[in-house]
Amino acid sequence: MRKIKVAILGATGAVGQRFVQLLANHPWFEVTALTGSDRTVGLTYGEGCRWILPEPIPEYAKDMQVIPTEAGFEAALAFSALPAELAREAEPALAAAGYAVCSNASAHRMWPDVPLLIPEVNPDHTALVETQKKQRGWKGFIVTNPNCTSTGLTIAFKALQEAFGLRRAFVVSLQALSGAGYPGVASLDITDNVVPYISGEEDKVETEPQKMLGRLNGGSIEPAPLRISAHTNRVAVTDGHLVCASVEFEQAAGPDQAARALAEFQAPALVQTLPSAPHCVVEVRPEADRPQPRRDREAGQGMTTVVGRVRADPLFHVKFVVLSHNTIRGAAGGAILNAELLVAQKLI
Amino acid sequence: MRKIKVAILGATGAVGQRFVQLLANHPWFEVTALTGSDRTVGLTYGEGCRWILPEPIPEYAKDMQVIPTEAGFEAALAFSALPAELAREAEPALAAAGYAVCSNASAHRMWPDVPLLIPEVNPDHTALVETQKKQRGWKGFIVTNPNCTSTGLTIAFKALQEAFGLRRAFVVSLQALSGAGYPGVASLDITDNVVPYISGEEDKVETEPQKMLGRLNGGSIEPAPLRISAHTNRVAVTDGHLVCASVEFEQAAGPDQAARALAEFQAPALVQTLPSAPHCVVEVRPEADRPQPRRDREAGQGMTTVVGRVRADPLFHVKFVVLSHNTIRGAAGGAILNAELLVAQKLI
Amino acid sequence: MRKIKVAILGATGAVGQRFVQLLANHPWFEVTALTGSDRTVGLTYGEGCRWILPEPIPEYAKDMQVIPTEAGFEAALAFSALPAELAREAEPALAAAGYAVCSNASAHRMWPDVPLLIPEVNPDHTALVETQKKQRGWKGFIVTNPNCTSTGLTIAFKALQEAFGLRRAFVVSLQALSGAGYPGVASLDITDNVVPYISGEEDKVETEPQKMLGRLNGGSIEPAPLRISAHTNRVAVTDGHLVCASVEFEQAAGPDQAARALAEFQAPALVQTLPSAPHCVVEVRPEADRPQPRRDREAGQGMTTVVGRVRADPLFHVKFVVLSHNTIRGAAGGAILNAELLVAQKLI
Amino acid sequence: MRKIKVAILGATGAVGQRFVQLLANHPWFEVTALTGSDRTVGLTYGEGCRWILPEPIPEYAKDMQVIPTEAGFEAALAFSALPAELAREAEPALAAAGYAVCSNASAHRMWPDVPLLIPEVNPDHTALVETQKKQRGWKGFIVTNPNCTSTGLTIAFKALQEAFGLRRAFVVSLQALSGAGYPGVASLDITDNVVPYISGEEDKVETEPQKMLGRLNGGSIEPAPLRISAHTNRVAVTDGHLVCASVEFEQAAGPDQAARALAEFQAPALVQTLPSAPHCVVEVRPEADRPQPRRDREAGQGMTTVVGRVRADPLFHVKFVVLSHNTIRGAAGGAILNAELLVAQKLI
């Protein structure tokens, strides 16, 4: 198979760097363009990027020249790590120009004709791509992945929704520093401290799962009836978002049943064949004190959702803890898996 | 007024050290005895104690000799910072021998005739002291203060219960390291990490507020009908427990009303006169990102409960964040305030 | 005594906030002007400042209006917390206009006619003020305090220089986050990490002590012959700079003699009377593992230099560890003590 | 080639776990015995071990039974992760009984007939094995690897010694938490803090390099004339020891020459063929702010020594920063490389 040419939009930022890293040696994709801000355009990626990941910059990217974020580059697909403000204009423009945009930005996630996609959860929502192209007269399209906190949570919710139906959920997150980008959170704000607030986050966590767990109905999504209350907090952890969740089912079920439903959850057959799909979608840990961010975030190369402490809830049915790697599964890795699904579904 | 002689049981541990510190120059109490384990008995406190607080050891304590935890010392009152296992036998023995034991240990908190006391919340529960002495034939008695996480939470709950009644609450804690004592949590377990589990803690947080918010009925407490679901987590913060709470009232109320009820909450007149009572029981912060442990834990010398982010909850009525200093308000300071109440009520 | 009117230049930054805090209720000084950047000019201090200290903003400052950093405000004295780039132009302009500028900025520290001042170390260097005014034709003048790392180190060096003479020193710092201002160090750069580099710092630490320990000779300073090699590192500590030092004396001396010289070091009589002078200039800790930043930085309200681990050095004579609070003694507190000295010397 | 049977002594501790991990799928060695304390003997390794590494326990080890640390197990070679107190008796007993003991413990490092070995530095010192066996009448022998801080430092020193000779060195370490084992450092001791003391460490760092850089002279080692002064500090980093060093050469050389000597340093040909030998012995980073523990500790699978900031020293010749992974290169990985050398030299 000839590799598909892909661009990375906003390649020098924290999520952009993860795209650069995860796309090194990708079996289906070949990076042919890296876009950046005015400050970096014209420099090589090695010069323009303050690389913050522990592993070194992939060789392929070092000498590529950073170009502006506008149509003209040679690629079929563009991964977007743009900040929401920039994504708002750039992504529709690129979609109109014919690129398939797989975006990690929040700007278009809740547009009715844009799929908010997790391949293990709602692969059929990609049907919106046709609606989108038709309605907007675009040659390309936009597909988005959810917020980093919504991601692992929605995967766990999907397993439970299928088994018992979901009515209500309380969720409280303890989110990693890398979720705020780079430089992001000031060290003086988080050392020996917790910040119980992340701008805009609670609204995303309360609404995105409804869309993803919703039903495709003609050309739009009927949101799932699940209602969510979210508190979001920043803690002094480099990577890995932890979420405490209490859930009420449609159909009563206890912790053992819930743990089984989570452990046995499988992606649809087509999704299981994708190169970035984790072998194990949800890993259920039996220990009293797991998952933990530093010890579990690398599960399945950062693509597995780790659940633990599944136990009875005094008010709803079950409570548990979910961990997901926020810059892999919850950002770049999730967007790449989405693109792989689109290829497998012959939409790219 | 002649000062009352007091002992500190388990004086060399983390909470014991806070007692030693907070009782330096106390207007009503004079420390006459410090008890410790076999390892330290016979040494001076300065020698036997690995002092871990930033401020230096108070002069008065340095050369006091550490004695065993058994009846015989000259004091009317004993503050207990014993671990639960030791408290189980030692506290009843001392109460039987005539000491008033103000205990921070969990061992006897849920005994039906033992007050679980926060002066601003349930000062009338000290009536159980008479029942206790009579039933058990003790000359002394035991009064306890709640778990460090229950403390701030119950103070906030009391303000809301009085105003609107309380039906259900979801609470998720982010607890400080000092809550686990010393040496406590290993640095390798918490650096760049969160531990989503604290042994025995969730049960305490789900039941202690019910008792404290309950009604004294003859010689026992009728628990409040409030039902609670708790998740408890350890984070890399030295002091200050943060709790995210979502609450359902008996009588619907919105965030503005709730914030007002919290801000206007006052202790009973007698309690306001106690030397360790904070000027402000509950401080309500208006900023989007407060309270924060490092920045707010010292409010009211660590005795004020700080609440913030009071906002509408999509499932229940209101959600908010509570912060309380776990080794001051939630341990030694709370026990001292309890003792002051007992003195003011002429029970000591 | 009528209080002297003082301004704080750059009042909204990290060091500016320390000035605002330390000058609340100062017995000699009254803050009458707070200057800030274009972004904050016209706002009240409470609005314009993102306050980052744990204690609340002093009441006096909250409603003061932030003004531009230029001559015209009513004050005799200006404390400068300006960044070096801004200080370069603003401080000479204000000195020319008649203000006594006590600056924490590095811009003019090494000017030959500007005192680089620590009252306990070189109070006689203020004689340069006259030279400075005469040579430059200024009505006011500039006095500076040293870099936060040089400060504690030079105080310890002074005690040793007086006793034994100093020839050479190796010093390695472990510096706190607040030394980089706010937002300063990104949390992703320092969590589970050390950064072995601070721009420009090693040069300051290698040269500033030479000037301060030097001899006033007519209208200039003859640097001390002490030669220094410095490595500077950033660590995940909020406040308190720790320095490991190995020193070679002119006249051989062992650890006991050195510890005694440090412990017995006293400020000149005039300096001891200043309101911000610490009771104890150098505290020598006997424990094997002290000083430590979190446990010792508040010594003497952050104005005492804490030394420990004084022991024999295999290459030079003695090695030891020094701790100093970088935003109090090493910045705002140091500048205020300098101003107090100038008042006591009738130079203001 | 038939794999050599090896035991791991003290397999459940922090360093023991690294041995278990690094020996999974080793091309030459097969783990046949895991020893532990009384508490764990008889349990399976999975039950007896509180596994603290982020990657999961290797499958091969999970169901192996923990046995006591005494002769009788079937293995030619024993890797020792014993604490020094236990090593003192157990290692000689096992060596006498015929096992080749490759020890990470400090107990016998300075014995005159025991090689203190880094294959890239002093592979010829293994000649002591014969002397040792003969003198002591043992069928087996003991070989040790140095202290975790000495390791990376001595590798850098070797490169410089070969090029210019070494006369004196000042070294200050910033050491990781894992160097203290598990549970090791209490989180309350290190959060927002530095501890400027590690028991016994400075003595090791001042003497071990002298032995390793010394010359084999008949049946003993003549220590190198290099004299060292060390300060050792604990910082809040999980893995990776950083050392600031200033060195004086026999033969003057500047930073460029030193950087070249470090970058070009190579292991002897035989050592380069060993399975655990890093491709690059010393990596020299050109950036102003590297190496950093979190970003560089994994270089060469944790076996490469990373050096940076090579610059002129005002007192000696050159100063620089060295980073080495303390539980891989500085402990288990180092001991395994030693064993590989012994096999290649046909001493096992």
Side-chain angles (χ1 to χ4, degrees):
Chain A
M1 171 171 145
R2 190 70 149 301
K3 287 195 181 179
I4 297 167
K5 291 180 173 158
V6 304
I8 301 170
L9 314 178
T12 59
V15 172
Q17 294 183 21
R18 276 285 184 204
F19 275 113
V20 169
Q21 180 183 67
L22 295 174
L23 289 168
N25 308 312
H26 191 280
W28 296 1
F29 302 134
E30 177 194 356
V31 179
T32 54
L34 300 173
T35 86
S37 63
D38 290 354
R39 194 186 54 76
T40 55
V41 164
L43 302 175
T44 65
Y45 186 70
E47 292 160 358
C49 175
R50 177 164 162 68
W51 187 259
I52 58 166
L53 298 176
E55 304 78 16
I57 305 194
E59 279 305 318
Y60 83 86
K62 251 185 203 163
D63 296 326
M64 288 180 67
Q65 219 186 17
V66 179
I67 60 169
T69 306
E70 49 192 42
F73 51 80
E74 200 194 326
L77 172 56
F79 289 107
S80 168
L82 295 172
E85 320 79 77
L86 299 184
R88 225 175 299 285
E89 298 211 354
E91 294 182 358
L94 291 167
Y99 298 96
V101 178
C102 286
S103 173
N104 181 57
S106 63
H108 309 108
R109 284 185 196 145
M110 300 307 282
W111 279 15
D113 57 353
V114 168
L116 179 57
L117 186 64
I118 297 176
E120 293 94 331
V121 170
N122 59 343
D124 57 316
H125 287 201
T126 56
L128 289 179
V129 161
E130 283 316 310
T131 319
Q132 190 189 133
K133 290 170 83 165
K134 199 172 304 166
Q135 281 183 358
R136 299 181 185 267
W138 287 350
K139 283 181 286 177
F141 58 87
I142 300 174
V143 164
T144 61
N145 58 278
N147 166 278
C148 46
T149 302
S150 303
T151 304
L153 195 62
T154 304
I155 291 171
F157 280 177
K158 175 69 176 184
L160 298 170
Q161 186 199 37
E162 279 193 357
F164 319 110
L166 274 184
R167 201 179 284 155
R168 298 194 289 179
F170 270 101
V171 299
V172 177
S173 69
L174 291 83
Q175 299 184 216
L177 302 168
S178 58
Y182 182 84
V185 181
S187 55
L188 281 174
D189 282 338
I190 204 69
T191 303
D192 187 12
N193 208 15
V194 165
V195 179
Y197 173 70
I198 300 172
S199 175
E201 194 82 357
E202 292 172 355
D203 184 54
K204 292 173 193 164
V205 176
E206 291 179 350
T207 58
E208 294 183 1
Q210 295 174 331
K211 180 171 179 180
M212 288 182 279
L213 297 171
R215 212 169 35 192
L216 182 71
N217 195 345
S220 73
I221 305 294
E222 195 178 303
L226 165 66
R227 284 184 305 130
I228 300 171
S229 166
H231 294 250
T232 58
N233 301 284
R234 187 76 65 195
V235 293
V237 164
T238 55
D239 290 308
H241 285 359
L242 192 86
V243 183
C244 297
S246 287
V247 294
E248 187 182 46
F249 301 132
E250 291 291 344
Q251 205 182 312
D256 291 349
Q257 293 164 282
R260 205 170 323 117
L262 287 158
E264 291 174 355
F265 179 68
Q266 291 215 324
L270 181 67
V271 173
Q272 294 185 31
T273 66
L274 303 177
S276 302
H279 179 70
C280 173
V281 182
V282 179
E283 182 185 352
V284 179
R285 302 281 313 209
E287 300 92 333
D289 63 354
R290 302 291 279 263
Q292 296 175 10
R294 199 180 82 234
R295 293 188 168 127
D296 294 304
R297 62 193 169 205
E298 303 292 345
Q301 274 75 54
M303 291 296 285
T304 289
T305 299
V306 187
V307 172
R309 305 203 69 217
V310 186
R311 57 210 195 282
D313 186 275
L315 300 188
F316 286 175
H317 290 106
V318 161
K319 50 184 172 181
F320 55 89
V321 176
V322 192
L323 181 83
S324 177
H325 195 299
N326 57 302
T327 66
I328 300 179
R329 180 79 227 201
I336 293 170
L337 189 63
N338 283 354
E340 292 170 359
L341 176 66
L342 293 166
V343 171
Q345 291 177 334
K346 308 203 184 305
L347 289 164
I348 293 182
Chain B
M1 170 170 146
R2 191 67 151 302
K3 287 195 181 179
I4 297 167
K5 291 179 175 160
V6 304
I8 301 171
L9 314 179
T12 60
V15 172
Q17 294 184 20
R18 276 288 183 202
F19 275 112
V20 168
Q21 180 182 67
L22 295 174
L23 290 168
N25 309 312
H26 191 282
W28 296 1
F29 302 134
E30 177 195 357
V31 179
T32 54
L34 300 173
T35 86
S37 63
D38 289 352
R39 195 186 54 75
T40 55
V41 165
L43 302 176
T44 65
Y45 186 70
E47 293 160 358
C49 173
R50 178 165 160 69
W51 186 259
I52 59 166
L53 298 176
E55 304 77 16
I57 305 194
E59 279 305 318
Y60 83 85
K62 251 185 204 163
D63 296 325
M64 288 180 67
Q65 220 188 15
V66 179
I67 60 169
T69 307
E70 49 192 43
F73 50 82
E74 201 193 326
L77 172 56
F79 289 107
S80 169
L82 295 172
E85 320 79 76
L86 298 184
R88 225 176 299 285
E89 299 211 353
E91 295 181 357
L94 291 168
Y99 298 95
V101 178
C102 285
S103 174
N104 181 57
S106 63
H108 309 108
R109 283 183 196 147
M110 301 307 282
W111 279 15
D113 57 353
V114 167
L116 180 56
L117 186 65
I118 297 177
E120 293 94 331
V121 170
N122 59 341
D124 58 318
H125 287 200
T126 56
L128 289 179
V129 162
E130 285 315 312
T131 318
Q132 191 190 132
K133 290 170 83 167
K134 201 173 304 167
Q135 282 183 355
R136 299 181 187 266
W138 288 351
K139 282 181 285 178
F141 58 87
I142 300 174
V143 163
T144 61
N145 57 279
N147 166 277
C148 47
T149 302
S150 303
T151 304
L153 195 62
T154 304
I155 290 171
F157 280 177
K158 174 70 176 183
L160 299 170
Q161 185 200 38
E162 279 193 357
F164 319 111
L166 275 185
R167 200 179 285 155
R168 297 195 289 179
F170 269 102
V171 299
V172 177
S173 70
L174 292 82
Q175 300 185 213
L177 301 168
S178 57
Y182 182 83
V185 181
S187 55
L188 281 174
D189 282 338
I190 204 69
T191 303
D192 187 12
N193 207 16
V194 166
V195 179
Y197 173 70
I198 300 172
S199 175
E201 194 82 357
E202 292 171 355
D203 183 54
K204 291 173 194 166
V205 177
E206 291 178 350
T207 57
E208 294 183 0
Q210 294 175 331
K211 179 171 180 181
M212 286 183 279
L213 297 170
R215 213 167 36 191
L216 181 70
N217 195 345
S220 71
I221 305 295
E222 196 178 302
L226 165 65
R227 285 186 304 132
I228 301 171
S229 165
H231 294 250
T232 57
N233 301 284
R234 186 77 65 194
V235 294
V237 164
T238 54
D239 291 308
H241 285 359
L242 193 87
V243 183
C244 296
S246 287
V247 294
E248 187 182 44
F249 302 131
E250 291 291 343
Q251 205 181 315
D256 291 350
Q257 293 164 281
R260 206 170 321 117
L262 287 158
E264 292 174 355
F265 178 67
Q266 292 214 324
L270 181 67
V271 173
Q272 295 185 30
T273 66
L274 303 178
S276 302
H279 179 70
C280 173
V281 182
V282 178
E283 182 184 354
V284 179
R285 303 281 314 209
E287 300 92 334
D289 61 355
R290 302 291 279 265
Q292 296 174 10
R294 199 181 81 233
R295 293 187 169 129
D296 295 304
R297 61 193 169 205
E298 303 292 345
Q301 274 76 55
M303 292 296 285
T304 289
T305 299
V306 186
V307 171
R309 305 204 68 218
V310 187
R311 56 211 197 281
D313 186 275
L315 302 187
F316 286 174
H317 289 107
V318 161
K319 51 184 171 182
F320 56 90
V321 176
V322 192
L323 180 82
S324 179
H325 195 299
N326 56 300
T327 65
I328 300 180
R329 179 80 227 201
I336 293 170
L337 189 62
N338 283 353
E340 293 169 358
L341 176 65
L342 293 166
V343 171
Q345 291 177 334
K346 308 203 185 304
L347 290 163
I348 293 181
Chain C
M1 169 169 145
R2 190 71 150 302
K3 287 195 182 179
I4 296 167
K5 292 181 174 157
V6 305
I8 301 171
L9 314 179
T12 60
V15 172
Q17 294 184 21
R18 277 286 181 201
F19 275 113
V20 168
Q21 180 182 66
L22 295 174
L23 289 168
N25 309 311
H26 191 280
W28 296 0
F29 302 133
E30 177 193 357
V31 179
T32 53
L34 300 174
T35 86
S37 63
D38 289 355
R39 196 186 54 74
T40 55
V41 165
L43 302 175
T44 65
Y45 186 70
E47 292 160 359
C49 175
R50 178 165 162 67
W51 187 260
I52 58 165
L53 298 176
E55 304 78 16
I57 306 195
E59 279 306 317
Y60 82 86
K62 251 185 203 163
D63 295 325
M64 288 180 66
Q65 221 187 16
V66 179
I67 61 169
T69 305
E70 49 192 41
F73 51 82
E74 201 195 327
L77 172 57
F79 289 106
S80 169
L82 295 172
E85 321 78 79
L86 298 184
R88 225 176 298 285
E89 298 211 352
E91 294 182 356
L94 291 167
Y99 298 97
V101 177
C102 286
S103 173
N104 182 57
S106 62
H108 310 108
R109 283 184 196 145
M110 300 307 282
W111 280 14
D113 57 353
V114 168
L116 180 56
L117 187 64
I118 297 177
E120 292 95 330
V121 170
N122 59 342
D124 57 317
H125 287 201
T126 57
L128 289 179
V129 162
E130 284 315 311
T131 318
Q132 190 189 136
K133 291 170 83 166
K134 200 172 304 168
Q135 282 182 356
R136 298 180 186 268
W138 287 352
K139 281 181 287 175
F141 58 86
I142 300 175
V143 163
T144 61
N145 58 278
N147 166 278
C148 46
T149 302
S150 303
T151 304
L153 195 61
T154 304
I155 291 172
F157 280 176
K158 175 69 177 184
L160 298 170
Q161 186 200 36
E162 279 193 357
F164 319 110
L166 275 184
R167 200 178 286 155
R168 299 194 288 178
F170 269 101
V171 299
V172 176
S173 70
L174 290 83
Q175 299 185 214
L177 302 168
S178 57
Y182 182 82
V185 181
S187 55
L188 281 174
D189 283 337
I190 204 69
T191 303
D192 188 12
N193 208 15
V194 166
V195 179
Y197 174 69
I198 300 172
S199 175
E201 195 81 357
E202 291 171 355
D203 183 54
K204 291 173 194 165
V205 177
E206 291 178 351
T207 57
E208 294 183 1
Q210 294 174 331
K211 179 170 180 182
M212 287 183 279
L213 297 171
R215 214 171 32 193
L216 182 71
N217 195 344
S220 72
I221 304 294
E222 195 178 302
L226 165 66
R227 285 184 304 131
I228 302 171
S229 166
H231 293 250
T232 58
N233 300 283
R234 186 76 67 194
V235 295
V237 164
T238 56
D239 291 308
H241 285 358
L242 193 86
V243 183
C244 297
S246 288
V247 294
E248 186 182 45
F249 302 130
E250 292 290 345
Q251 205 182 314
D256 290 350
Q257 292 164 282
R260 205 170 323 116
L262 287 158
E264 292 175 356
F265 179 67
Q266 291 214 325
L270 180 68
V271 173
Q272 294 185 31
T273 66
L274 304 178
S276 302
H279 178 69
C280 173
V281 182
V282 178
E283 183 185 353
V284 178
R285 304 279 315 208
E287 300 92 333
D289 62 354
R290 301 292 277 266
Q292 296 175 10
R294 198 179 84 235
R295 293 188 169 128
D296 295 304
R297 63 193 169 205
E298 303 292 346
Q301 273 77 55
M303 291 296 284
T304 289
T305 298
V306 187
V307 172
R309 304 203 70 217
V310 187
R311 57 209 195 283
D313 187 274
L315 301 188
F316 287 175
H317 289 108
V318 161
K319 50 185 172 179
F320 56 90
V321 177
V322 192
L323 181 82
S324 178
H325 195 300
N326 57 302
T327 67
I328 300 180
R329 179 79 226 202
I336 293 170
L337 189 62
N338 283 353
E340 293 169 359
L341 176 66
L342 294 165
V343 171
Q345 292 177 334
K346 308 201 186 305
L347 290 164
I348 294 182
Chain D
M1 170 169 145
R2 191 70 149 304
K3 287 196 182 178
I4 297 167
K5 292 180 175 159
V6 304
I8 301 170
L9 314 179
T12 59
V15 172
Q17 295 184 21
R18 276 287 182 202
F19 275 112
V20 168
Q21 181 183 67
L22 295 174
L23 289 169
N25 309 311
H26 191 281
W28 296 1
F29 302 133
E30 178 194 358
V31 180
T32 54
L34 300 174
T35 85
S37 62
D38 290 352
R39 195 187 54 74
T40 55
V41 165
L43 303 175
T44 66
Y45 187 70
E47 293 160 358
C49 174
R50 179 165 160 67
W51 187 259
I52 58 166
L53 298 176
E55 304 78 15
I57 305 195
E59 280 306 317
Y60 83 85
K62 251 185 202 160
D63 296 324
M64 288 180 66
Q65 220 187 15
V66 178
I67 60 169
T69 305
E70 49 192 41
F73 51 82
E74 200 194 327
L77 172 56
F79 290 107
S80 168
L82 295 172
E85 318 80 78
L86 299 184
R88 225 176 298 285
E89 298 211 354
E91 295 182 356
L94 291 167
Y99 298 96
V101 178
C102 286
S103 173
N104 181 57
S106 62
H108 310 108
R109 283 184 196 144
M110 301 306 282
W111 279 14
D113 58 352
V114 168
L116 178 57
L117 186 65
I118 298 177
E120 293 94 331
V121 170
N122 59 341
D124 57 318
H125 287 201
T126 56
L128 289 179
V129 161
E130 284 315 312
T131 318
Q132 190 189 133
K133 291 170 82 165
K134 200 173 306 168
Q135 282 183 355
R136 299 180 187 270
W138 287 351
K139 282 182 286 176
F141 58 86
I142 300 174
V143 163
T144 61
N145 58 278
N147 166 278
C148 46
T149 301
S150 304
T151 304
L153 194 62
T154 303
I155 290 172
F157 279 177
K158 174 71 176 183
L160 298 170
Q161 186 200 37
E162 279 193 357
F164 319 110
L166 274 185
R167 199 177 288 155
R168 298 194 290 178
F170 269 102
V171 300
V172 177
S173 70
L174 292 83
Q175 299 185 214
L177 302 168
S178 57
Y182 181 84
V185 181
S187 55
L188 281 175
D189 282 337
I190 203 70
T191 303
D192 187 13
N193 208 16
V194 165
V195 179
Y197 174 69
I198 300 172
S199 175
E201 195 81 357
E202 292 171 354
D203 183 55
K204 291 172 194 166
V205 177
E206 292 178 350
T207 57
E208 294 183 2
Q210 294 174 331
K211 179 170 180 181
M212 287 182 280
L213 297 171
R215 215 172 29 193
L216 182 71
N217 195 343
S220 72
I221 305 294
E222 195 178 305
L226 165 66
R227 284 183 306 131
I228 301 171
S229 165
H231 294 250
T232 58
N233 300 283
R234 186 77 66 195
V235 294
V237 164
T238 55
D239 291 309
H241 285 359
L242 192 87
V243 183
C244 296
S246 288
V247 294
E248 187 183 44
F249 302 131
E250 291 291 345
Q251 204 181 315
D256 291 350
Q257 293 164 280
R260 206 170 322 116
L262 287 159
E264 292 175 356
F265 178 68
Q266 292 214 325
L270 180 68
V271 173
Q272 295 185 31
T273 65
L274 304 178
S276 302
H279 180 69
C280 172
V281 182
V282 178
E283 183 185 352
V284 179
R285 303 280 315 208
E287 301 91 334
D289 62 354
R290 300 293 277 265
Q292 296 175 10
R294 198 180 82 235
R295 292 188 168 127
D296 295 304
R297 62 193 169 205
E298 303 292 345
Q301 274 77 53
M303 291 296 285
T304 289
T305 299
V306 186
V307 172
R309 306 203 70 219
V310 186
R311 57 209 195 283
D313 187 275
L315 301 188
F316 287 175
H317 289 106
V318 161
K319 49 186 173 180
F320 56 90
V321 176
V322 191
L323 181 81
S324 178
H325 195 301
N326 56 301
T327 66
I328 300 179
R329 179 80 227 201
I336 293 170
L337 189 61
N338 282 353
E340 293 170 359
L341 176 66
L342 293 166
V343 171
Q345 291 178 334
K346 307 200 186 307
L347 289 164
I348 294 182

